Amino acid sequence: MLPDDLDLDILAADWVWETDAGLRLTGVRGRYAALTGAAEPLGRPWPGLDPWPGFDGDPEDDAPLRSPIPFRDVIRPHRHRDGRTRWFRFGGAPLLAADGTVTGWRGIGAELSGPAAAECEQTRRLEEQSRRLEEQARRLDEQARRFEAVVANLPLGVSLFDADLRLVAHNDRLRDIFGLPQELLRPGTPLECMIRTSAGAGNYPHLNPDEAWDYVSARIAQRVRLQRERHLPDGVLLKTTIAPLPDGGTLVVHEDATDRARADARLAEQNRWLDHALTHMSHGLVLFDADHRITVVNRQFLDLYGLSPETVLPGITAEELIHRRTEAGNFPGLRPEEAWLQVSERLATRARYRLDQTLTDGRVIAVTYAPTPEGGFVTVHEDVTAAKRAEAQIVHMARHDALTGLPNRALLHEGLAEALAQAPGSGGATAVLCLDLDRFKTVNDTLGHAVGDKLLREVTARLAAAIRDEAGLATLARLGGDEFALVLRPTSRFRAGRLAGRLIEAVGRDYEIDGQRVAVGLSVGIALTPTDGQDPEGLLRAADMALYRAKAEGRSVHRFFEPAMDAAIQTRRSVELDLRAALAEQQFALAFQPFLDLATNRIAGFEALVRWHHPVRGVVSPAAFVPIAEETGMIVPLGEWVLRQACREAARWPASLRVSVNLSPVQFRSGDIDATVIAALRDAGLDPHRLELEITEGVLLQDNASTLAILHRLKRLGVRIAMDDFGTGYSSLGYLRAFPFDKIKIDRAFVADLAVRPDALAIVRAVTTLADSLDMTTTAEGVETEEQLAHLREAGCTEVQGYLISRPVPSEAVAPMLTEDGIVQPSPTAFSPSGSARGREAEPGIQSRRR
């Protein structure tokens, strides 16, 4: 386990590391490779970083791990593959065995950024500059020692003269510097002679021999130590020192100062670069010496705090600086003495720290303090106001919906948990309302997502307005898509239901968006504490179940949670799981129900109906599993199996018989149902004219243009298309104009009322007349009595289907139903009470996979 203080930092860590007892890395998890540009350092010594060229420290120094004490804030450099130096902060804790021995270490690593990284980089540059200067000094010292060891090769030209200015001694370097002849440099040679000869050789630019001698003799006559620099004709900068000796003699030393002058020039240039960097860096910087006096301060620091250069000068103390900053309003609410007390306590720790200070004008300044080796310290100041605002915006975005600005699911959970924690002492119940828009997908699909987004914002405004005057605390959130949730407390069942009604009414009013009238509805599910749940997950789940019931019972209504809903959901989940197994284990079979041609009294074909033979439940009604198969998408593989199996069975029947197969709207969403039909026909070897596909208007509702294109391709192939459940929808007549169907199937609801309601017969007559005018056949479903059959013959119906003709039968029972000429052989049981509505209720399964 990491120590407590490191546990807090782990949220800001970039990677987690672990070592063995030998302090070699055994695991690295996180962004190590992304931040360092290197492969994972498994097997390398901790912490697995590479230094910059010339770095004289050890980035893999394991000193923090040598003592079994947790550590943090260890800074190490790393040379990234892109050439930049990056800095990382480490913390860790030992892994201890049962006997207390250290078996390894585990900790975190994080990249330093902002002022901390800038400070480290500045320190690195200063250290690198210092290292170069130290190297230069070392070389000079080494050269000096060599000169002392080998006097004959001194780099200085040395000459000694007596009181009469006659040469006493010299070294060879003197001759080399001035190019004087050897015979001139004999002891006793007058200095005047040497100066005139040297001037004649050009060693005193712009002076003739007489002028040169006058100049030198006058300086020596002063009998004081003098130094002078001049350039020789070959460009050498010569530094000459004239030193009078106690005995009246004179020592003259000539030094080649060219290299030193160049080094001084380079150092001056580096200082100018440093001054330039301090002047133009974006951070404020102040450097203090061991006495806490300012040695360096840049303009950015002064501008950051509104200080004048005249009041903040090198030499003033840190205490004086804090006093002047307090007077400028940099420490809101504190007197100068109080501000200095806080600062001095932090300085006394001599520990690096970083803190954020808020100024009176609202700006936030990040201050980083770091001690220096010589006892002083440096502070770096950065305006992080924009960054703080961005962080606050990010936090807000993480907990709010970007489109509507409402709290999102995470914030809703937090608010609901807080409400439930306070509920016992606040009185009243807490209600959770799950809201879902009706027909929103249609708006999105037909008018586009831009209109959908605008609609969601207007819906949000209406919901917010509807709950504005609600007593208590109401929290509205968007869960995603067209789903919303509302937490209301304290409240009651009556008030929650009344509010749900207001919300449904408010959302249900028409909208005007981009010049188009848009209509949607709202369904609401409600759960209340403590009966429906006592935690956020339970309440939301209960409200969602109630919403599911509201959707199932007509939409634009609200429903309260009931325990039976949970049982229904569990049953549905059980059926879904069994259905997946049934697809894999082929537990399905087909039954076939004939439809009779009334003109010839012959069987015209059979409708294929799916049956599920569950190993435990027995025969499962299609009403119990087809809707679930459609919701989960399992209807696609199941429907393909039905289609292929039906075509294979029909291929064994007489060529005059057709097979009818129902298609679900879900099967059309993939856009390749026509390819599935063609493959089924080809594999079975069935003539396309013998296949009849039944669809409801729900198929055309989802994507009219695309679906019509698929149906036209199938019809050109020869496949017959029938509209099932005709008359039960609101737009069937419009679809008869949009597509030339081959058949209309009259719903069993009209057939059942033929003997008791005259309007039912009128509707059937109207449908058969319409179909005849459009060159379509009609099939009446659910025919169970001779009276119904007679009415249908009289109304001009083309075909009939129902228990009066035959129940659905297994595939092996199809052949015995036919004579050689295909005339049906009805049995006495076909007209018995088993063919009544009571018999239909006892029949396992239903006539269609959709009904």
Side-chain angles (χ1 to χ4, degrees):
M1 296 293 292
L2 298 177
D4 291 342
D5 54 348
L6 291 180
D7 285 341
L8 295 177
D9 286 347
I10 198 168
L11 295 177
D14 290 313
W15 71 82
V16 177
W17 54 266
E18 189 167 343
T19 76
D20 56 17
L23 306 185
R24 292 189 173 273
L25 291 167
T26 59
V28 174
R29 300 186 306 278
R31 302 178 58 218
Y32 172 90
L35 294 177
T36 64
E40 291 187 354
L42 299 184
R44 287 184 56 179
W46 179 90
L49 301 179
D50 297 314
W52 66 79
F55 178 71
D56 59 356
D58 182 9
E60 294 183 337
D61 178 16
D62 57 10
L65 282 65
R66 290 299 180 185
S67 175
I69 300 174
F71 67 92
R72 61 183 298 164
D73 292 330
V74 171
I75 310 299
R76 291 288 187 269
H78 172 75
R79 187 70 167 182
H80 194 277
R81 200 164 45 187
D82 60 12
R84 293 184 298 165
T85 298
R86 300 188 180 182
W87 298 85
F88 298 92
R89 179 171 65 94
F90 291 88
L95 302 175
L96 303 178
D99 60 358
T101 60
V102 177
T103 61
W105 285 74
R106 181 183 298 128
I108 58 174
E111 183 183 21
L112 290 179
S113 60
E119 176 194 350
C120 290
E121 183 62 19
Q122 180 68 20
T123 301
R124 181 189 72 81
R125 291 176 179 172
L126 291 173
E127 290 175 351
E128 190 172 0
Q129 175 185 337
S130 176
R131 182 182 58 82
R132 288 198 300 267
L133 293 176
E134 289 175 358
E135 178 63 18
Q136 179 182 356
R138 185 189 61 79
R139 288 198 302 268
L140 291 175
D141 290 344
E142 183 178 353
Q143 184 180 22
R145 286 193 298 272
R146 286 200 304 269
F147 290 164
E148 291 174 359
V150 187
V151 177
N153 296 311
L154 280 174
L156 305 176
V158 180
S159 56
L160 179 63
F161 297 90
D162 59 17
D164 297 326
L165 298 182
R166 292 181 178 274
L167 181 62
V168 175
H170 73 283
N171 65 356
D172 293 339
R173 181 61 179 158
L174 179 68
R175 184 189 63 221
D176 297 337
I177 291 175
F178 293 105
L180 299 175
Q182 182 63 41
E183 59 274 13
L184 182 66
L185 300 177
R186 291 195 302 265
T189 301
L191 174 59
E192 180 181 358
C193 181
M194 295 173 59
I195 294 299
R196 290 181 179 276
T197 302
S198 182
N203 291 323
Y204 290 88
H206 313 299
L207 296 178
N208 59 38
D210 292 336
E211 294 170 337
W213 170 240
D214 291 341
Y215 175 78
V216 171
S217 61
R219 293 171 66 83
I220 292 176
Q222 296 177 22
R223 303 301 295 169
V224 295
R225 181 182 178 85
L226 298 175
Q227 288 185 334
R228 170 179 181 263
E229 291 183 352
R230 73 177 190 275
H231 283 91
L232 300 181
D234 57 3
V236 172
L237 178 64
L238 189 66
K239 178 182 179 181
T240 300
T241 301
I242 301 175
L245 299 178
D247 61 356
T250 302
L251 176 67
V252 181
V253 178
H254 304 277
E255 178 187 357
D256 185 344
T258 307
D259 292 339
R260 189 264 305 157
R262 290 172 181 169
D264 289 345
R266 285 196 298 269
L267 182 58
E269 182 66 18
Q270 289 172 354
N271 289 333
R272 284 194 295 273
W273 290 343
L274 181 58
D275 290 342
H276 183 78
L278 291 173
T279 301
H280 294 89
M281 65 185 299
S282 59
H283 297 15
L285 181 142
V286 187
L287 183 63
F288 297 86
D289 61 18
D291 296 326
H292 290 186
R293 293 184 177 276
I294 293 178
T295 58
V296 175
V297 59
N298 68 353
R299 182 73 193 193
Q300 282 69 22
F301 173 83
L302 303 176
D303 294 342
L304 207 57
Y305 293 110
L307 302 172
S308 66
E310 295 76 17
T311 59
V312 181
L313 297 171
I316 70 170
T317 65
E319 182 177 3
E320 291 175 307
L321 176 61
I322 294 302
H323 277 247
R324 290 170 190 178
R325 283 187 53 195
T326 306
E327 293 166 359
N330 298 161
F331 293 91
L334 295 179
R335 298 193 307 274
E337 297 78 12
E338 296 171 333
W340 170 244
L341 179 61
Q342 291 185 2
V343 174
S344 61
E345 288 176 350
R346 287 194 294 268
L347 295 178
T349 65
R350 294 291 295 168
R352 176 191 293 267
Y353 68 81
R354 182 186 186 276
L355 58 84
D356 294 337
Q357 290 184 330
T358 302
L359 306 185
T360 53
D361 59 5
R363 287 181 297 137
V364 180
I365 308 299
V367 180
T368 301
Y369 161 87
T372 57
E374 66 277 4
F377 60 93
V378 62
T379 60
V380 179
H381 307 256
E382 179 186 10
D383 188 339
V384 295
T385 308
K388 289 294 182 181
R389 290 173 181 167
E391 289 176 7
Q393 181 66 19
I394 291 172
V395 171
H396 181 273
M397 292 173 62
R399 296 157 59 85
H400 290 77
D401 174 54
L403 178 65
T404 63
L406 294 175
N408 61 13
R409 186 183 296 271
L411 188 54
L412 176 74
H413 267 263
E414 293 179 13
L416 183 54
E418 180 181 352
L420 295 178
Q422 299 173 356
S426 61
T430 296
V432 175
L433 287 72
C434 281
L435 320 174
D436 189 89
L437 297 183
D438 304 325
R439 301 183 301 278
F440 177 74
K441 184 178 185 302
T442 302
V443 174
N444 245 2
D445 292 345
T446 56
L447 301 180
H449 292 284
V451 172
D453 288 348
K454 293 179 181 178
L455 174 60
L456 287 173
R457 283 192 285 266
E458 292 203 18
V459 167
T460 299
R462 291 191 185 183
L463 292 174
I467 65 176
R468 190 170 294 126
D469 298 328
E470 185 68 21
L473 180 62
T475 302
L476 179 65
R478 183 186 178 209
L479 305 183
D482 59 348
E483 299 179 39
F484 296 81
L486 177 65
V487 176
L488 187 64
R489 66 180 174 98
T491 188
S492 64
R493 182 183 179 92
F494 171 76
R495 286 176 53 201
R498 183 180 60 186
L499 175 60
R502 290 207 311 270
L503 296 176
I504 292 171
E505 188 277 330
V507 172
R509 296 193 301 271
D510 286 356
Y511 300 81
E512 187 75 24
I513 300 178
D514 293 345
Q516 302 184 75
R517 188 169 296 277
V518 179
V520 293
L522 182 71
S523 297
V524 183
I526 308 173
L528 295 100
T529 60
T531 56
D532 301 338
Q534 298 183 8
D535 58 81
E537 292 76 12
L539 277 173
L540 284 168
R541 184 171 60 251
D544 197 52
M545 292 181 193
L547 174 63
Y548 186 82
R549 174 66 62 85
K551 287 282 191 180
E553 294 185 2
R555 303 172 183 252
S556 295
V557 296
H558 72 271
R559 292 290 180 266
F560 288 91
F561 172 76
E562 300 172 3
M565 295 177 182
D566 193 25
I569 292 294
Q570 298 303 323
T571 301
R572 182 191 180 282
R573 288 175 180 168
S574 177
V575 172
E576 180 180 343
L577 292 175
D578 288 352
L579 190 57
R580 294 186 186 278
L583 282 171
E585 299 171 8
Q586 299 182 350
Q587 297 174 6
F588 297 98
L590 291 186
F592 295 89
Q593 186 175 35
F595 45 91
L596 188 71
D597 187 328
L598 293 181
T600 63
N601 202 35
R602 297 172 184 269
I603 292 177
F606 291 81
E607 180 179 1
L609 304 170
V610 66
R611 294 291 184 261
W612 180 8
H613 298 279
H614 192 280
V616 177
R617 304 172 189 265
V619 178
V620 182
S621 167
F625 71 84
V626 168
I628 297 176
E630 289 186 318
E631 290 178 19
T632 60
M634 286 188 282
I635 195 67
V636 174
L638 177 57
E640 182 176 351
W641 178 85
V642 170
L643 181 63
R644 289 180 176 274
Q645 189 70 14
C647 288
R648 281 194 292 267
E649 291 293 336
R652 295 198 292 265
W653 301 342
S656 61
L657 296 180
R658 304 190 303 275
V659 64
S660 179
V661 178
N662 294 277
L663 295 182
S664 165
V666 179
Q667 292 175 266
F668 280 81
R669 291 176 188 166
S670 63
D672 61 353
I673 184 62
D674 49 345
T676 301
V677 172
I678 293 171
L681 291 170
R682 182 187 63 242
D683 295 345
L686 184 68
D687 185 342
H689 295 85
R690 296 180 59 196
L691 176 62
E692 192 171 88
L693 299 177
E694 297 184 19
I695 66 170
T696 62
E697 67 178 43
V699 170
L700 295 168
L701 274 172
Q702 59 189 11
D703 189 348
N704 190 285
S706 174
T707 302
L708 286 177
I710 293 175
L711 293 176
H712 277 292
R713 288 197 293 270
L714 291 171
K715 189 172 178 64
R716 287 195 298 270
L717 188 67
V719 176
R720 293 169 56 85
I721 308 296
M723 174 173 277
D724 199 6
D725 298 340
F726 183 79
T728 61
Y730 68 89
S731 56
S732 299
L733 290 177
Y735 290 127
L736 291 182
R737 296 180 60 191
F739 183 78
F741 287 90
D742 297 286
K743 178 190 286 188
I744 297 174
K745 297 196 74 173
I746 301 172
D747 190 77
R748 65 180 60 249
F750 300 109
V751 175
D753 291 342
L754 284 176
V756 295
R757 293 185 57 176
D759 58 345
L761 181 58
I763 290 174
V764 171
R765 284 175 177 165
V767 172
T768 57
T769 301
L770 175 64
D772 185 61
S773 65
L774 294 175
D775 197 22
M776 300 177 187
T777 62
T778 52
T779 298
E781 296 183 290
V783 181
E784 299 181 350
T785 67
E786 288 286 359
E787 185 179 6
Q788 292 172 348
L789 180 60
H791 281 302
L792 293 170
R793 285 184 184 276
E794 187 272 333
C797 190
T798 311
E799 298 171 348
V800 293
Q801 179 181 354
Y803 281 8
L804 180 66
I805 311 303
S806 172
R807 292 173 178 273
V809 299
S811 57
E812 61 269 18
V814 171
M817 297 179 64
L818 304 173
T819 62
E820 291 184 0
D821 58 1
I823 299 176
V824 70
Q825 300 296 313
S827 65
T829 58
F831 306 100
S832 68
S834 64
S836 66
R838 181 183 303 241
R840 183 171 66 253
E841 291 175 356
E843 169 70 20
I846 55 177
Q847 299 300 309
S848 167
R849 292 181 289 111
R850 303 181 306 281
R851 299 191 290 275

